[in-house]
Each structure stands twice: as structure tokens, then as C-alpha cells.
């Protein structure tokens, strides 16, 4: 984990990357590879979810093993509202953010009073409680989940994968920029100071619990937005979105990409999902090959893949 409290965002690099992503659907369509447009949307949705966990884990220092609860709750909020005739994205998506943030606040009020392994286990326990709650909701599919008849209504046709891709890209870009501004603000610097030395920060006079709870709440709301998007991507929600294995996968994404790096969650999500896509095409035992590759990265790059960018920038400055 990097210790610097200031996190740079290169405007030129960001604009170049954004331009490439904007042009991607045209290139995929020209090569008659529209499948990759949907895949890219999925990568960006999980990049958003991993970024929300990175805010909590990487910048806030809170090792939450229940982040999938907010991810899945956001997805179910959209699906349940659509089941009752509310299909507007302008209503359902903010509702998903609000419900997930409220759930994070309620869980945080209890779990943030503990530390270390106790905090990890309490967040896991709460997440599993939410998981079993949705499993028991027979009116909304229970174990089988709940299908969506169509994607949320935004005011323009979002039925095509290309249109949905641009919606996801816009929200991911906004989220990364928001996190960049947040972690470099006074609030973000205090949260990172708490991560480095909670006792000292509290002794200075900062309300540590309030800052941690706010950070936890914001991360939960961001995960809820990712959940709303994955519901529209899959046209189906199921309790698997809330399972602890989903929380574990999000944590692996953050660790692989780089804990505490602005693009750590994005890089980790893209790396893992692309490896999964490629390796599964060669062998049914792709999890084993993926595990070996992940082990190699963790051993050779303990700070994650994003640390390569920092090392490169340091070499260029020298």
C-alpha cells in the first residue's frame, strides 16, 4: 500500500484513455466483434465496484469482507422496483445508491466500533445475513433470482449494447474522477491519515468514527451503483451477487490492481476478468492457471500492478 496522501491524475493520459474507450465500440463493430462491447461493459462495471472497495480498503484502511452486500443490494433494488412498475433509471439507480449507502451506514455503525479481525468477521457476517435475506424472498425469485423484462429507461434507447456501453463508461469516468477529488480533499487526507495512524489522528482532535463511517457509506453507495448497472447488463439478479465469494473476488481485484492506488480497482478488475475470459477458452481448469498467475504477481509486485506506473514515472523523473 502506498503511503502518499496525494494522488495524481494525468489529464493528458486520462483524456487519451477516454478517447480510446470512446472509439472502442466503433472498432469492435467494424471488425464484427460486437461481443467484446458487452464484455467491455462488464469489465467497467466490476472496475467501478472494485474502485468502491478500494476507497474503503485502500484509502480508508477498512478491510471489509462484505462489500458484495452493497453490490447485490443495488442490483436487487433496481430489479424489485422494476417488478413493481418503476423502470426509470433516474429513479431506480439513485434509489440503488441510497439503499446501498443506507445499508452500509447501518452495518458501519456497528462494525466500525471494532478493529482488526473482528471488523473483518462482522462485515462478513452482516453480508451473509443480507445474502440469506434475499434467498428467503420467494416473491422475488429466492434462490433462482429475478429477471428483468428490459433495461432501465433513461430517455434514450439503451437496449443496444453500444448505448449501454457509453452509459457505463460515463459513470465509471465520473466515479474515478469523483474518487480522485475526494481522496485529495481535506476529507480524503484525514481518512488516509486515519489509515496510517488512527490513534494519532484521534489525538489531534478529528472525529475518527465519523470520518470512517462517511467513507464506508460512500463506498457502499458506489457499490450500489455498480449493482444497478450489473442488473441491467445481465438482465437478471440473483443472490450470488451478495455471496461472500463475490466480496472475496472484489478484494482480490483491489489487491492485484494495487491497494490505495487511484486506478488500482480498475486495473485489477480488468486484469482478472480478462484472464478469466482468455484462460477459460483453453482449459476447464482455468482457475488453477489464474491462481498461479495471481500468485506470481503478488510475489513479484506486492504493491499490485498499479505500482508499475509509479515506478515508471519515478524512472522518467530521474
Amino acid at each position: 500500500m502506498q503511503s502518499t496522501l496525494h494522488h495524481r491524475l494525468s489529464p493528458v493520459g486520462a483524456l487519451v484513455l477516454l478517447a480510446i474507450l470512446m472509439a472502442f465500440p466503433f472498432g469492435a463493430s467494424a471488425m464484427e466483434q460486437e461481443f467484446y462491447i458487452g464484455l467491455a461493459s462488464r469489465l467497467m462495471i466490476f472496475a467501478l465496484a472494485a474502485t468502491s472497495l478500494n476507497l474503503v480498503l485502500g484509502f480508508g484502511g477498512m478491510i471489509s469482507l462484505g462489500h458484495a452486500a452493497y453490490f447485490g443490494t443495488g442490483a436487487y433494488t433496481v430489479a424489485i422496483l422494476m417488478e413493481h412498475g418503476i423502470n426509470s433509471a433516474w429513479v431506480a439507480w439513485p434509489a440503488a445508491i441510497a439503499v446501498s449507502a443506507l445499508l452500509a451506514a447501518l452495518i458501519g455503525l456497528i462494525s466500525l466500533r471494532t478493529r482488526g479481525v473482528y471488523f473483518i468477521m462482522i462485515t462478513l457476517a452482516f453480508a451473509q445475513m443480507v445474502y440469506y435475506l434475499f434467498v428467503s424472498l420467494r416473491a422475488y425469485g429466492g434462490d433462482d433470482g429475478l429477471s428483468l423484462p428490459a433495461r432501465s429507461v433513461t430517455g434514450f434507447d439503451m437496449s443496444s449494447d453500444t448505448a449501454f456501453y457509453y452509459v457505463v463508461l460515463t459513470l465509471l469516468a465520473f466515479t474515478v474522477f469523483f474518487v480522485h477529488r475526494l481522496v485529495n480533499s481535506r476529507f480524503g487526507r484525514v481518512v488516509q491519515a486515519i489509515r496510517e495512524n488512527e490513534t494519532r489522528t484521534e489525538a489531534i482532535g478529528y472525529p475518527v468514527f465519523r470520518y470512517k463511517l462517511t467513507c464506508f457509506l460512500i463506498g457502499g453507495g458506489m457499490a450500489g451503483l455498480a449493482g444497478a448497472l450489473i442488473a441491467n447488463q445481465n438482465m437478471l439478479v440473483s443472490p450470488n451477487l451478495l455471496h461472500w465469494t463475490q466480496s472475496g473476488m472484489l478484494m482480490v481485484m483491489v489487491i492485484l490492481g494495487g491497494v490505495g492506488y487511484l486506478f488500482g480497482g480498475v486495473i485489477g478488475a480488468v486484469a482478472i476478468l480478462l484472464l478469466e475470459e482468455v484462460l477459460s477458452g483453453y482449459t476447464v481448469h482455468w482457475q488453477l492457471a489464474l491462481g498461479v498467475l495471481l500468485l506470481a504477481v503478488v510475489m513479484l509486485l506486492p504493491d499490485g500492478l498499479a505500482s508499475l506506473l509509479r515506478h515508471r514515472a519515478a524512472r522518467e523523473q530521474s
Side-chain angles (χ1 to χ4, degrees), residues 4-230:
T4 178
L5 300 185
H6 181 71
H7 303 269
R8 297 180 179 179
L9 178 63
S10 170
V12 176
L15 289 175
V16 170
L17 178 60
L18 186 60
I20 293 173
L21 292 175
M22 290 285 289
F24 176 79
F26 296 101
S29 298
M31 293 185 291
E32 299 182 351
Q33 299 291 334
E34 287 81 2
F35 162 78
Y36 290 104
I37 299 176
L39 175 62
S41 297
R42 183 169 180 266
L43 296 179
M44 291 190 293
I45 292 171
F46 276 93
L48 198 163
T51 299
S52 70
L53 177 58
N54 196 23
L55 176 64
V56 174
L57 170 62
F59 298 104
M62 295 169 278
I63 308 175
S64 171
L65 198 54
H67 208 69
Y70 321 123
F71 181 61
T73 297
Y76 264 97
T77 299
V78 170
I80 292 173
L81 287 176
M82 192 170 290
E83 186 77 2
H84 292 282
I86 302 174
N87 57 4
S88 172
W90 303 103
V91 175
W93 294 6
I97 296 172
V99 172
S100 296
L102 177 60
L103 177 63
L106 294 175
I107 293 176
L109 281 171
I110 299 174
S111 61
L112 288 173
R113 300 182 188 280
T114 63
R115 296 184 183 181
V117 68
Y118 302 104
F119 174 79
I120 298 173
M121 296 308 297
I122 287 179
T123 56
L124 174 60
F126 273 114
Q128 286 301 97
M129 289 170 60
V130 177
Y131 166 77
Y132 286 114
L133 171 64
F134 282 102
V135 167
S136 66
L137 293 179
R138 301 300 177 187
Y140 299 112
D143 278 327
D144 298 325
L146 182 63
S147 60
L148 279 67
R151 283 176 176 159
S152 299
V153 177
T154 58
F156 57 89
D157 185 15
M158 214 171 54
S159 59
S160 71
D161 287 341
T162 300
F164 183 68
Y165 171 92
Y166 283 116
V167 171
V168 175
L169 175 59
T170 301
L171 291 174
L172 175 61
F174 174 79
T175 300
V176 171
F177 180 73
F178 168 75
V179 172
H180 170 256
R181 298 293 297 174
L182 183 67
V183 299
N184 287 308
S185 67
R186 180 179 180 274
F187 171 84
R189 291 172 187 268
V190 173
V191 167
Q192 292 177 80
I194 294 171
R195 176 197 67 192
E196 297 297 323
N197 194 319
E198 182 174 336
T199 303
R200 183 179 298 175
T201 307
E202 188 171 21
I204 295 173
Y206 287 104
V208 168
F209 181 80
R210 189 187 309 167
Y211 273 92
K212 291 174 68 175
L213 181 62
T214 302
C215 180
F216 203 73
L217 182 152
I218 294 172
M222 289 167 55
L225 175 60
L229 293 175
I230 201 64

